[in-house]
């Protein structure tokens, strides 16, 4: 495949790392509004309201053909950002009054044809006897020394069908208290992994945050002399992970992944209103969507501050009806900032190439400038194309062969199995996003940005088998190295 859009012409600049930072961290911080903590990383604390409700804050979403089981797709969604490993005694449970969803749109309508939904309940045996999460070594999920457990139910919800329970009241892997308490966390995660009827598997677990980037722009542009680049800001932090691996036919329209290989994916969270009384909170009323995530960095570096909360509550089917949102895709802010501060010309607008990447998927039928059939549901043979709408989703073409040697720049690096064709654990979406915003295409990178932010992989490497996420950190963040 070759994307034919001509790249923007710019002169060489030595300040690649500064440019990358401007294109991601500055934009995210400037647009995020109050409540910013460590930084704005992918979807970590990206909007004012969700920043105050971390239990239900989507951080990252991954969708890829499983490298070791190529007839399946793995979906990984993370929540609850910036978990410092020493954050006891309550640590980091999932919310029990929330729906944690991974949604699949196989027809391009912006509505889910399939939703995988996790709900949680607590088993808290501490009572008025102890404050401890565990009162001894925990070698197994069933050990009586584990005083706080979370149980979850996983449902498969298909349009026009009754919900099907895939997993009933399973035990999630706990937060990793530390090596003395949980000497073999991998064993606990393995015990928490459950087989699914019809094939596949799932797990609910804590994990080392797989997202990676440098956010040291806040110290006067990386120390004023680029001396502070190359540090992964998220190294040492954990997140809560829901992962599921299923046959491709489970996701494809009409169950046919050969004729209909493209799906759109997004994660979302619904939560009930909390009624507060002294020493107690009671969920009440209907579930309301409070967080949403498809492509990384959209809500952070594309959506303006005044629309961020609304975007989190919006279904993808309504994206094309939001003129202010579409306008920011067609005329994004980041290239203008780069031009104003560093003199690098912004690509001409309207940016119909970005509309393809973020809203329609890349296909000749989408009518945009990226003349290749890659990852739009318009490629599915059995859909009603009259119902197709532009919608912000992470789109995956399940027919793209698994790459033997993945390129961290994904499609821009000539690896068409990588982002924005889905997203793998090792895809460097920060470097990719800025290149795309500045008009790069495969084989024609913006050389002034080629060095990126100097962070090319996660703080703890992902693994080669399900759930692919690394085991959670146990040291304090300031000891993470």
């Amino acid at each position: 495949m070759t994307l034919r859009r001509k790249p923007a012409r710019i002169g060489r600049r030595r300040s690649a790392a500064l440019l990358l930072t401007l294109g991601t961290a500055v934009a995210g911080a400037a647009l995020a509004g109050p409540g910013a903590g460590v930084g704005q990383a992918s979807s970590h604390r990206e909007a004012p309201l969700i920043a105050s409700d971390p239990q239900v804050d989507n951080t990252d979403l991954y969708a890829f053909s499983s490298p070791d089981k190529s007839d399946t797709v793995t979906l990984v969604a993370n929540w609850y950002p910036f978990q410092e490993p020493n954050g006891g005694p309550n640590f980091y449970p999932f919310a029990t009054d929330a729906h944690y969803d991974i949604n699949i749109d196989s027809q391009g309508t912006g509505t889910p044809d399939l939703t995988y939904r996790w709900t949680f309940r607590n088993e808290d045996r501490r009572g008025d006897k102890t404050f401890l999460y565990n009162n001894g070594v925990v070698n197994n999920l069933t050990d009586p020394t584990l005083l706080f457990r979370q149980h979850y139910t996983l449902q498969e919800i298909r349009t026009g069908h009754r919900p099907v329970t895939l997993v009933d009241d399973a035990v999630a892997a706990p937060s990793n208290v530390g090596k003395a308490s949980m000497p073999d966390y991998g064993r606990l995660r393995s015990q928490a992994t459950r087989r699914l009827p019809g094939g596949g598997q799932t797990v609910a677990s804590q994990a080392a945050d797989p997202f990676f980037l440098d956010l040291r722009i806040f110290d006067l542009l990386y120390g004023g002399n680029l001396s502070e680049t190359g540090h992964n800001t998220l190294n040492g932090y954990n997140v809560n992970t829901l992962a599921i691996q299923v046959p491709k036919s489970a996701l494809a329209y009409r169950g046919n992944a050969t004729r209909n290989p493209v799906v759109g994916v997004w994660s979302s969270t619904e939560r009930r209103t909390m009624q507060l009384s002294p020493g107690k909170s009671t969920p009440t009323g209907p579930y309301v969507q409070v967080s949403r995530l498809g492509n990384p960095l959209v809500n952070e570096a594309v959506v303006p501050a005044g629309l961020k909360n609304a975007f989190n509550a919006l279904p993808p089917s309504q994206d094309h009806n939001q003129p202010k949102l579409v306008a920011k895709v067609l005329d994004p802010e980041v290239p203008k900032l780069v031009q104003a501060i560093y003199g690098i010309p912004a690509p001409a607008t309207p940016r119909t190439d970005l509309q393809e990447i973020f809203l329609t998927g890349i296909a000749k039928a989408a009518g945009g400038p990226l003349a290749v059939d890659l990852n739009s549901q318009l490629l599915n043979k059995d859909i009603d194309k009259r119902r197709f709408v532009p919608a912000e989703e992470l789109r995956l073409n399940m027919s793209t062969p698994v790459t033997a040697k993945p390129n961290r720049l994904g499609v821009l690096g000539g690896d068409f199995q990588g982002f924005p064709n889905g997203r793998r654990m090792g895809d460097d979406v920060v470097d990719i996003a800025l290149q795309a915003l500045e008009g790069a295409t495969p084989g024609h990178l913006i050389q002034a940005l080629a060095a990126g932010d100097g962070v090319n992989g996660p703080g703890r490497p992902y693994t080669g088998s399900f759930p692919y996420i690394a085991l959670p950190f146990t040291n304090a963040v300031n000891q993470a190295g």
Side-chain angles (χ1 to χ4, degrees):
M1 296 181 181
T2 303
L3 296 181
R4 300 173 185 169
R5 184 180 185 275
K6 293 183 179 180
R9 291 183 174 274
I10 65 172
R12 290 181 177 270
R13 299 289 190 277
R14 71 178 182 84
S15 54
L18 271 71
L19 293 171
L20 176 66
T21 305
L22 178 69
T24 55
V26 162
L31 298 178
V38 176
Q40 310 305 320
S42 190
S43 187
H44 299 55
R45 297 170 56 85
E46 82 289 343
L49 283 178
I50 201 64
S52 64
D53 199 3
Q55 271 190 309
V56 292
D57 185 0
N58 312 55
T59 66
D60 284 283
L61 173 68
Y62 303 84
F64 52 91
S65 293
S66 310
D68 56 332
K69 294 183 178 180
S70 59
D71 60 338
T72 70
V73 164
T74 297
L75 309 172
V76 177
N78 296 331
W79 278 267
Y80 210 151
F82 298 120
Q83 296 180 15
E84 216 287 350
N86 293 343
N90 293 306
F91 294 97
Y92 305 100
F94 289 92
T96 57
D97 62 328
H99 293 157
Y100 292 91
D101 294 347
I102 298 179
N103 307 283
I104 310 297
D105 172 15
S106 59
Q107 300 184 69
T109 62
T111 58
D113 297 287
L114 164 65
T115 296
Y116 292 109
R117 171 167 292 169
W118 288 260
T119 55
F120 290 83
R121 74 171 181 89
N122 293 341
E123 179 193 349
D124 192 344
R125 298 188 293 113
R126 293 173 293 184
D128 57 3
K129 298 178 181 179
T130 181
F131 63 87
L132 293 169
Y133 192 85
N134 60 291
N135 61 0
V137 176
V138 179
N139 292 308
N140 302 283
L141 294 180
T142 56
D143 286 351
T145 51
L146 182 58
L147 302 180
F148 181 89
R149 295 182 182 87
Q150 285 207 295
H151 298 245
Y152 72 90
T153 295
L154 170 60
Q155 289 184 306
E156 177 186 270
I157 304 171
R158 293 187 181 271
T159 301
H161 297 79
R162 295 176 63 87
V164 175
T165 298
L166 301 179
V167 177
D168 185 21
D169 209 39
V171 178
S175 294
N176 194 350
V177 177
K179 295 178 181 179
S181 293
M182 299 174 181
D184 189 352
Y185 190 86
R187 176 184 174 90
L188 300 178
R189 175 180 288 175
S190 179
Q191 292 175 358
T193 302
R194 298 293 297 269
R195 297 289 175 181
L196 300 178
Q201 53 191 324
T202 188
V203 70
S205 175
Q206 193 182 47
D209 195 332
F211 190 59
F212 52 94
L213 81 168
D214 194 313
L215 279 173
R216 286 293 292 169
I217 187 167
F218 302 111
D219 185 19
L220 297 178
L221 298 178
Y222 286 130
N225 59 2
L226 303 181
S227 63
E228 296 177 359
T229 59
H231 178 268
N232 181 5
T233 306
L234 295 178
N235 187 28
Y237 288 103
N238 297 324
V239 290
N240 284 352
T241 291
L242 299 175
I244 185 169
Q245 186 179 77
V246 293
K248 292 179 176 180
S249 59
L251 306 183
Y253 183 53
R254 294 182 177 174
N256 192 330
T258 300
R259 290 182 57 83
N260 306 299
V262 179
V263 294
V265 186
W266 70 99
S267 60
S268 59
T269 327
E270 297 179 338
R271 194 165 203 179
R272 303 175 71 191
T273 299
M274 300 299 293
Q275 182 177 357
L276 302 179
S277 57
K280 186 178 181 180
S281 61
T282 304
T284 183
Y287 285 90
V288 177
Q289 182 176 304
V290 295
S291 187
R292 163 191 166 189
L293 178 63
N295 288 284
L297 302 170
V298 169
N299 203 358
E300 296 69 37
V302 177
V303 179
L307 298 180
K308 286 181 176 294
N309 291 331
F311 180 81
N312 266 339
L314 199 69
S317 60
Q318 294 302 310
D319 289 343
H320 69 291
N321 291 326
Q322 310 301 315
K324 292 182 180 179
L325 174 62
V326 174
K328 280 299 183 180
V329 174
L330 295 174
D331 189 10
E333 185 174 4
V334 169
K336 293 180 180 180
L337 291 172
V338 172
Q339 177 173 314
I341 297 175
Y342 295 103
I344 297 176
T349 59
R351 295 296 302 277
T352 51
D353 58 326
L354 297 182
Q355 185 175 27
E356 276 194 272
I357 292 172
F358 294 135
L359 295 179
T360 66
I362 300 170
K364 296 174 184 177
L370 303 177
V372 67
D373 287 336
L374 180 67
N375 70 337
S376 173
Q377 290 104 323
L378 290 168
L379 300 175
N380 291 342
K381 292 182 171 59
D382 296 328
I383 71 165
D384 182 352
K385 294 180 173 58
R386 295 171 298 180
R387 299 181 62 207
F388 182 88
V389 297
E392 197 280 299
E393 302 172 353
L394 179 63
R395 289 176 168 85
L396 171 67
N397 188 331
M398 299 183 290
S399 69
T400 306
V402 172
T403 305
K405 295 182 179 180
N407 188 303
R408 69 178 179 86
L409 294 181
V411 172
L412 286 181
D415 178 358
F416 286 86
Q417 201 222 354
F419 181 73
N421 185 13
R423 181 185 177 188
R424 302 166 301 191
M425 308 302 292
D427 287 342
D428 194 340
V429 296
V430 173
D431 286 14
I432 295 169
L434 185 62
Q435 287 280 343
L437 285 167
E438 291 298 314
T441 58
H444 300 279
L445 298 181
I446 309 306
Q447 290 304 309
L449 309 176
D453 63 351
V455 180
N456 298 334
R460 181 165 284 181
Y462 52 90
T463 68
S465 59
F466 185 84
Y468 306 101
I469 49 175
L471 297 179
F473 291 99
T474 56
N475 289 337
V477 170
N478 62 6
Q479 297 175 359

